[in-house]
Amino acid sequence: LERYRHNPAVEYAEPNYIYQLAAIPNDTQFRTSLWGLHNTGQTVNGTVGTADVDIDAPEAWDITTGSPNVIIAVIDTGIAYDHPDLAPNMWTNPGEIPNDGLDNDGNGFVDDYYGYDFFNNDGHPMDVPLQAGISFGKVGHGTSLAGTIAAAGNNSLGVTGVMQTARLMALKAGDGWEAV
């Protein structure tokens, strides 16, 4: 390289770098289930994927995996804020003391520590739990959506989100059950 840089016949010389994807997370279901983030043609739930028909998440993660300064409000069926892939990225209201029955920050919402449940009008925006034998409705939709958005990455658990370090605010707007 130095020889070429000092050669008067060469205008410009730089190393020929080899780039490789470095941001593949170690989450256990990443390679097998998250074809929307990184599709290698893997089979998910009996459907064969098409390689590279995805959002190119690993390429984006080479630039950034998100920021804890970004807060994303998920308006849905709530979020299972105790889920091990979501708990590290849950937003918490710094002016609120959880479960004390008071509106500590004076914003008109009691115990809105993780967000608020506008469906039940309380400070517990927990997602609808999966119930045995019930297969209708959108049980757990808010939790699933939250996982796609910002499940913690590189924690050797389950899945990872697009923004692995963003904060999730739970705003429950419905219970997830539909009339049949």
Side-chain angles (χ1 to χ4, degrees), residues 72 74 76 78-80 85-86 89-90 127 140-152 159-163 168-169:
I72 300 169
V74 177
D76 207 294
I79 298 176
D85 254 346
L86 300 176
N89 288 345
M90 288 305 301
D127 201 354
H141 188 267
T143 297
S144 177
L145 180 64
T148 300
I149 295 168
V159 299
T160 187
V162 174
M163 289 189 65
L168 295 161
M169 179 190 298

Side-chain angles (χ1 to χ4, degrees), residues 23-40:
I24 299 291
N26 65 10
D27 301 275
T28 57
Q29 294 178 32
F30 177 73
R31 293 182 188 272
T32 59
S33 300
L34 299 180
W35 57 265
L37 302 184
H38 185 59
N39 195 332
T40 60

Side-chain angles (χ1 to χ4, degrees), residues 74-97:
V74 177
I75 305 170
D76 207 294
T77 61
I79 298 176
Y81 40 84
D82 59 352
H83 188 286
D85 254 346
L86 300 176
N89 288 345
M90 288 305 301
W91 169 83
T92 55
N93 183 344
E96 198 68 51
I97 299 168

